[in-house]
Amino acid sequence: MKRIEVIQHFPTSPDEVVFRFPQEGAADIFLGAQLLVQENQEAVFFRDGKALDTFGPGRHTLATLNLPLVTRLLTVPFEKSPFQASVVFVNKKTFINRKWGTKEPIVFRDKELSLVRLRAFGTYSLRVQNSQVFVNEIVGGQGLYHTEELEDFYRDVIAARLADVLGENLKTIFDLPAVYDELGTLIKARLATDYTKHGVELVDFLVASVTPPDEVLAKMDERAGMGAVGDLNAYMKFKAAQAIQDAAKAGGNGVAGAGVGLGAGVGLGMAMPQMLQQAMAGGGAPAAATTTPCPKCNAAVPAGAKFCPGCGATMAVPMGTMACPSCGKPIPAGAKFCPECGKATSAACPACGKPVTPGAKFCPECGAKIG
């Protein structure tokens, strides 16, 4: 029989959570043996499948003073040292940068996009809080236990709590960039009970991304692109002109060039009437405005105006009067000379004798030159 005098264990992997000594069954342990527990460990004594005592960091001598439960069992008739037992070393450090993600998309009702399937990813950190509960609830009789098995165990739990929090606190995925921290805090609070009942503490929980499928992302990019374009009508005109330019550069590049030119031509042909109409309505050069002298201040007033913009006088000619063709002042109807400027109100054509407007260079009746 091998006499076991020192019991200790150093983790062989950074992800090791539990190590059982011995790996299978139980060992012959004598009273007086030394148990060495590292700073980040706890050791749980098991006998006949029951957890008897838990030891913290330090050197412990297995004697009747620190093993009261074991000692009480040893008082059973015919029981003697050594006794059959096992020791489970539990790593108490905080395991950081644990990955989580949804295996299947979560169906989410978005107020702008209707039903959307979402995938989520992130990280969290945890540590064993109650060694006896953790070993009894999660590890059982396994000789070695790693964080990978914990991640598999909690993955579905995280997905379920994530779906609850998204449905209760998020209206549209367009608001996600502003609420990642809040989502992480809410999900961590929901998961606290799920972890604690197994003797585990959830130290941190972070949401890295919540994204819809690629096809939905493509539609969102198209929507953002339309917003960046702004005036869609102007954008279509630009694209039509660009297509014609590309077709012209292609020149005689076979059927492909001809097809591009034909498609661009049809599009431009449909848009051309509207483009011309808009150009004629707002893009043409303004015609020269016709003016009439104000009868009061003699300022140039646009034709058809009812009042002078300079002095405010009315531009309407009183009844029984007419406007002087030279100065615009109202004069009696039929007067041959203006009492204001002294100029003749009418003149006769030297060729045909018909009256013509003063200042005219040609007769409107016979076309003869005047003056």
Side-chain angles (χ1 to χ4, degrees):
M1 178 185 300
K2 182 180 179 181
R3 184 182 181 90
I4 299 176
E5 297 182 351
V6 178
I7 305 172
Q8 64 177 339
H9 172 71
F10 294 95
T12 58
S13 167
D15 295 331
E16 180 185 302
V17 184
V18 167
F19 174 83
R20 180 182 294 273
F21 173 83
Q23 290 283 285
E24 296 181 358
D28 294 323
I29 300 176
F30 287 82
L31 290 176
Q34 301 294 304
L35 173 64
L36 300 181
V37 183
Q38 306 304 316
E39 183 64 31
N40 59 344
Q41 289 180 337
E42 279 188 347
V44 183
F45 251 79
F46 280 85
R47 187 171 189 275
D48 296 334
K50 295 181 180 180
L52 301 182
D53 289 284
T54 301
F55 295 89
R59 177 187 292 270
H60 306 276
T61 300
L62 303 183
T64 57
L65 293 179
N66 56 18
L67 281 177
L69 294 180
V70 175
T71 304
R72 187 162 55 250
L73 290 175
L74 292 177
T75 60
V76 178
F78 310 111
E79 188 75 62
K80 61 182 179 179
S81 182
F83 57 92
Q84 294 284 313
S86 61
V87 181
V88 176
F89 290 92
V90 180
N91 196 339
K92 297 283 288 185
K93 79 170 188 177
T94 299
F95 295 92
I96 62 174
N97 201 31
R98 301 296 98 191
K99 308 295 184 182
W100 67 267
T102 54
K103 292 189 297 184
E104 299 295 334
I106 298 173
V107 179
F108 173 71
R109 184 182 296 276
D110 192 290
K111 72 174 184 179
E112 296 189 21
L113 302 176
S114 187
L115 292 179
V116 182
R117 293 178 293 115
L118 300 177
R119 292 186 180 275
F121 305 92
T123 61
Y124 63 96
S125 57
L126 55 80
R127 70 183 187 89
V128 177
Q129 186 179 47
N130 190 316
S131 298
Q132 285 197 27
V133 173
F134 178 72
V135 173
N136 288 331
E137 295 286 339
I138 302 297
V139 180
Q142 297 184 58
L144 197 60
Y145 198 86
H146 293 88
T147 55
E148 181 181 353
E149 297 166 273
L150 268 180
E151 293 173 14
D152 293 338
F153 177 76
Y154 283 117
R155 183 173 289 111
D156 292 338
V157 178
I158 293 174
R161 301 297 177 259
L162 172 66
D164 290 343
V165 172
L166 289 178
E168 295 173 3
N169 298 276
L170 189 66
K171 300 301 181 183
T172 174
I173 60 176
F174 294 108
D175 297 334
L176 275 172
V179 296
Y180 275 135
D181 287 344
E182 289 78 1
L183 286 178
T185 301
L186 291 172
I187 297 171
K188 179 184 176 183
R190 293 286 182 91
L191 289 169
T193 304
D194 297 310
Y195 280 71
T196 303
K197 68 182 180 181
H198 297 130
V200 181
E201 177 187 0
L202 182 61
V203 180
D204 295 303
F205 189 92
L206 300 176
V207 178
S209 67
V210 180
T211 56
D214 292 340
E215 57 269 22
V216 178
L217 286 176
K219 296 299 181 183
M220 291 170 62
D221 290 341
E222 290 181 6
R223 176 175 174 177
M226 291 178 63
V229 167
D231 187 351
L232 187 59
N233 187 31
Y235 178 72
M236 291 301 296
K237 295 175 185 177
F238 167 74
K239 294 298 288 184
Q242 191 177 40
I244 293 177
Q245 183 180 5
D246 293 341
K249 290 181 179 180
N253 189 17
V255 179
V260 172
L262 179 60
V266 172
L268 185 60
M270 296 176 65
M272 185 61 72
Q274 183 179 3
M275 296 167 63
L276 291 176
Q277 182 180 3
Q278 293 177 354
M280 293 178 67
T290 304
T291 61
T292 302
C294 173
K296 184 176 181 181
C297 66
N298 207 32
V301 181
K306 295 183 178 181
F307 298 93
C308 174
C311 64
T314 180
M315 296 296 294
V317 178
M319 293 185 64
T321 63
M322 66 178 186
C324 172
S326 297
C327 66
K329 299 289 185 178
I331 59 176
K336 294 183 178 181
F337 294 93
C338 176
E340 296 288 336
C341 64
K343 293 184 179 181
T345 59
S346 64
C349 173
C352 64
K354 296 291 184 179
V356 296
T357 303
K361 295 181 179 180
F362 295 91
C363 174
E365 295 292 334
C366 65
K369 184 175 183 182
I370 301 175

